[in-house]
Amino acid sequence: MQGGRGPDELPRRGVDAAPASRNAPCPCGSGRRYKDCHGKVETATTGELTGALMGRMHEALAAQREGRFDDAIRAYDAVIAGAPSTFDAWHMRGVAQLQMHRFAEAEADIARALALKPDLPLAASNLALVANGRRSALAEEEVSRAALPRYRPLVDETSALPRATFGMRCFVLALGAAPALVDRIVADAAAGGGEVVRIEPLAGAGLSAADEARLASAGADDVVIAAGCDVPLGDWTIAAAPRSVALVVDGAALAPVVDRLRELSGQRRRRVRLALAPDAVVDLAPLPHARLAR
């Protein structure tokens, strides 16, 4: 993650995949070989990193390379709990937080890593990247807030999420919303008696070609519910002609909400029902929307 990137090149989900060769340059942009950078796990300064914790460290790195940042963070949590002096656990957990745009958490973790090894420029560079990312995110949020009223014609006044009745399909897209919330949306959608199709994106790669083809075939007997805003949707939204489309916002950032709203509308071909997850903190005013009950 070191050097060369400006605030507009803030790492997004899944961008730091492992290269084909461990001798290839690290995709983080540090200029070092992958095996000497993010492919390397440094031992704890006190020598307390056991074989089991080393396994969790490699598990975390693999999840992070695949874009499964929550899984990576949980594995880093386990390493830190068992070996709190492990530089790479703090540092890479901070990088994972940065990739999810959780700037406060990223700053705290990387600062802790620097306290353990203040002479490593990689962590200092990533701490600077956190500051740049925070400034970029704030600027992006201001632009999205100013533009939000223009998206009012894309939002359906209906607040309830659509259901699939008998003979209908309901596609539920898990696009970054909490798994428990996605489970709840699936269960509620199924209560109408129709067929529910749950679609998960590929780690770090968006929707599969097969899933995009199924979604593109959505017609008057189908409804689509996107749960979360983290994953770009692709061109299927233009080809699809579902009976109803809904977006459930689960997060704090406004910019991805605007992107998913525009995509789900089929680039302004249809209106989208808009709902907030129970714990979402993003402000959607002046767009009409509902908040899901706890």
Side-chain angles (χ1 to χ4, degrees):
M1 305 288 300
Q2 179 181 0
R5 294 184 181 182
D8 293 335
E9 296 173 282
L10 184 66
R12 300 287 178 174
R13 293 175 178 267
V15 299
D16 288 328
S21 169
R22 288 178 58 77
N23 288 315
C26 186
C28 76
S30 67
R32 295 192 291 172
R33 291 179 299 179
Y34 174 71
K35 70 179 183 180
D36 296 323
C37 190
H38 283 105
K40 175 184 177 183
V41 178
E42 297 193 27
T43 58
T45 55
T46 60
E48 57 190 318
L49 198 60
T50 65
L53 290 178
M54 182 68 79
R56 293 306 303 273
M57 194 70 198
H58 284 294
E59 173 190 324
L61 289 168
Q64 191 167 0
R65 289 196 300 272
E66 294 171 4
R68 296 183 287 109
F69 299 121
D70 283 326
D71 291 340
I73 288 169
R74 282 190 288 270
Y76 290 131
D77 289 345
V79 176
I80 289 170
S85 297
T86 307
F87 166 85
D88 260 328
W90 288 101
H91 180 219
M92 293 308 297
R93 190 174 75 172
V95 172
Q97 301 282 15
L98 173 60
Q99 289 172 301
M100 299 183 75
H101 295 187
R102 297 172 180 169
F103 300 111
E105 293 88 343
E107 182 177 45
D109 281 351
I110 297 173
R112 174 62 174 156
L114 275 169
L116 291 169
K117 293 192 175 183
D119 57 336
L120 290 185
L122 181 63
S125 177
N126 280 340
L127 194 59
L129 192 59
V130 171
N132 288 342
R134 181 183 280 117
R135 286 193 295 269
S136 179
L138 288 173
E140 186 178 45
E141 195 76 0
E142 290 176 2
V143 170
S144 298
R145 173 62 57 194
L148 201 61
R150 299 206 305 266
Y151 292 91
R152 174 66 181 79
L154 304 186
V155 180
D156 193 323
E157 296 283 353
T158 306
S159 58
L161 294 183
R163 287 188 176 184
T165 57
F166 184 77
M168 294 176 59
R169 290 182 301 179
C170 179
F171 294 97
V172 178
L173 283 63
L175 304 181
L181 177 60
V182 179
D183 291 341
R184 173 184 163 188
I185 292 170
V186 167
D188 289 347
E195 174 190 2
V196 178
V197 181
R198 180 169 178 161
I199 293 179
E200 304 271 356
L202 302 173
L207 302 178
S208 70
D211 284 336
E212 286 199 14
R214 285 200 293 174
L215 288 162
S217 71
D221 291 331
D222 303 315
V223 297
V224 176
I225 302 175
C229 302
D230 292 343
V231 181
L233 298 178
D235 293 337
W236 67 265
T237 57
I238 297 176
R243 173 177 296 187
S244 182
V245 175
L247 175 62
V248 179
V249 178
D250 186 14
L254 186 59
V257 177
V258 171
D259 291 340
R260 300 298 85 79
L261 177 60
R262 185 174 58 249
E263 291 171 336
L264 283 171
S265 73
Q267 303 299 333
R268 303 181 183 272
R269 287 170 169 80
R270 69 183 72 90
R271 294 196 173 200
V272 180
R273 301 185 187 189
L274 200 56
L276 277 170
D279 298 322
V281 296
V282 64
D283 180 10
L284 296 182
L287 302 184
H289 61 278
R291 182 176 290 274
L292 301 181
R294 294 184 181 276

